[in-house]
Amino acid sequence: MANPNPLMAKSSGTDPADAAIESALRTLDAEGSGIAAITAALQSDLRAPFIAATDLIKNAKGRLIVTGLGKSGHIGRKVAATFASTGTPAFFVHAAEASHGDLGMITADDVILALSWSGEQPEMKNLITYAKRFRIHVIAISAERESSLAKAADVALTLPKAREACPHNLAPTTSSLMMLALGDALAIALLEGRGFTSVDFSVLHPGGKLGALLKYTRDLMHAGDSVPLKPLGTKMSDALVEMTSKGFGCVGITDTRGHIVGIVTDGDLRRHMRSDLMTASVDDVMTKNPKTIGRDLLAGEALEILNSSKITALIVTDAGKPVGIVHLHDLLRAGVA
């Protein structure tokens, strides 16, 4: 007898690898639908409370205290870290530990952001009572508008209902991602509202690859006599000596005012290769108006210019005059690339 369900018939012959991919696609589809639901909610019922939540956090005299339990607690730790790294002082307090002394970490100037899908964890009770006693504002992220947590909160961010990616609709998957996404949305809204810049970001991220990307050109460039330079009218033989001795694969060309007007690179040598090249003037070989960067440019931006222009070195200028040079190898050594 033929199988009445063609999808079942197809899956029965699927090998384990294909089954894993199909499962992954179902998971991503389910979680994607959760994000889409938040997007729709922010344009309707979630709009006003989201604005109120950003105002509460922005105007707080103290810090943002993020709290939660279980998977919501794990998400809360990450959300707190995101806030802290983007200009909103924040840290995580475990809701259960709060009842055993950690309430002392929370002051009357703080704002509490409580995460709970059901909004009914008994461990939250003491924390909410404490908040009410000292008039600490509470923002709740929950899926239940009528939950104890949502009702006790000053602002309730009610997440739309969505099915978990788990086939049994039990393991927190879609719900966890939705909480994380809404937390990120709050953090970035505050970042943009405060005008938090990449310079501000660099102050809070001095270490690792991110810290390297946020260094300035002035921190990595070679300056003084290390910069390969020659004036207009120089013979190519002299320019080649300068290029070779400095080891950057190029030499900057300056005018009578000391401004950069050109550059001679290895590529220019290949393009102009001829018997009289060494007696020619750099004026005839150089690339005019070369790309340059300022000393206050972030290293990550310098790397982007090098990559997009397919070059390996950039002259650093100040008011048109060369003050340094940065090479791709300098970015590699600093951990930028």
Side-chain angles (χ1 to χ4, degrees):
M1 181 177 178
N3 191 324
N5 189 333
L7 292 178
M8 291 296 292
K10 182 179 179 180
S11 63
S12 64
T14 302
D15 66 33
D18 289 338
I21 294 299
E22 290 175 6
S23 174
L25 292 173
R26 286 194 297 271
T27 297
L28 294 174
D29 183 61
E31 295 189 340
S33 67
I35 301 299
I38 295 177
T39 301
L42 278 169
Q43 299 173 65
S44 55
D45 295 345
L46 197 54
R47 176 185 171 85
F50 185 89
I51 294 171
T54 57
D55 286 343
L56 270 182
I57 299 170
K58 183 177 181 180
N59 296 322
K61 294 180 180 178
R63 302 146 303 174
L64 178 66
I65 311 299
V66 185
T67 187
L69 289 150
K71 301 299 185 294
S72 297
H74 293 308
I75 295 300
R77 289 181 187 277
K78 192 278 175 185
V79 168
T82 299
F83 274 108
S85 70
T86 53
T88 299
F91 67 87
F92 178 80
V93 173
H94 194 282
E97 295 294 338
S99 298
H100 298 276
D102 284 0
L103 284 174
M105 297 180 178
I106 309 172
T107 74
D109 290 333
D110 297 333
V111 172
I112 296 172
L113 177 63
L115 282 64
S116 171
W117 187 255
S118 70
E120 296 294 349
Q121 283 96 339
E123 293 90 344
M124 286 281 190
K125 182 178 179 180
N126 290 336
L127 192 149
I128 296 301
T129 300
Y130 179 84
K132 293 298 182 184
R133 178 182 178 185
F134 292 99
R135 298 182 180 179
I136 301 169
H137 290 298
V138 175
I139 301 167
I141 295 182
S142 172
E144 301 294 338
R145 192 182 304 275
E146 299 302 316
S147 67
S148 300
L149 176 61
K151 287 182 176 180
D154 298 281
V155 177
L157 298 172
T158 305
L159 292 167
K161 298 293 180 63
R163 183 178 177 82
E164 302 288 8
C166 166
H168 310 299
N169 197 31
L170 295 173
T173 45
T174 306
S175 58
S176 296
L177 182 62
M178 292 171 71
M179 283 187 172
L180 177 60
L182 189 58
D184 285 346
L186 282 169
I188 300 305
L190 286 159
L191 176 153
E192 294 180 346
R194 288 195 174 98
F196 192 79
T197 67
S198 58
V199 175
D200 299 319
F201 203 78
S202 68
V203 173
L204 302 178
H205 298 77
K209 173 81 177 281
L210 190 54
L213 286 168
L214 294 169
K215 288 182 182 294
Y216 293 100
T217 302
R218 61 174 180 263
D219 300 323
L220 302 174
M221 72 181 190
H222 302 264
D225 292 338
S226 298
V227 186
L229 296 171
K230 283 294 180 180
L232 285 169
T234 300
K235 287 185 178 180
M236 278 300 300
S237 56
D238 294 333
L240 185 59
V241 171
E242 178 78 354
M243 183 189 302
T244 304
S245 64
K246 299 297 173 65
F248 292 102
C250 65
V251 56
I253 308 301
T254 58
D255 62 13
T256 54
R257 299 173 301 165
H259 290 183
I260 279 286
V261 292
I263 192 169
V264 178
T265 67
D266 292 333
D268 292 316
L269 293 178
R270 289 190 295 272
R271 284 187 291 272
H272 292 84
M273 186 60 67
R274 58 181 188 266
S275 59
D276 64 342
L277 176 61
M278 290 300 100
T279 59
S281 169
V282 293
D283 307 42
D284 301 323
V285 178
M286 71 181 188
T287 297
K288 297 180 180 180
N289 302 315
K291 290 184 181 296
T292 61
I293 56 175
R295 67 171 80 211
D296 293 327
L297 191 73
L298 290 174
E301 295 177 272
L303 177 62
E304 173 59 28
I305 294 172
L306 287 171
N307 286 334
S308 62
S309 303
K310 297 181 180 179
I311 55 179
T312 58
L314 285 163
I315 300 289
V316 183
T317 61
D318 183 7
K321 295 184 178 181
V323 294
I325 185 170
V326 62
H327 194 276
L328 179 60
H329 291 167
D330 300 318
L331 301 179
L332 288 170
R333 281 190 290 270
V336 177

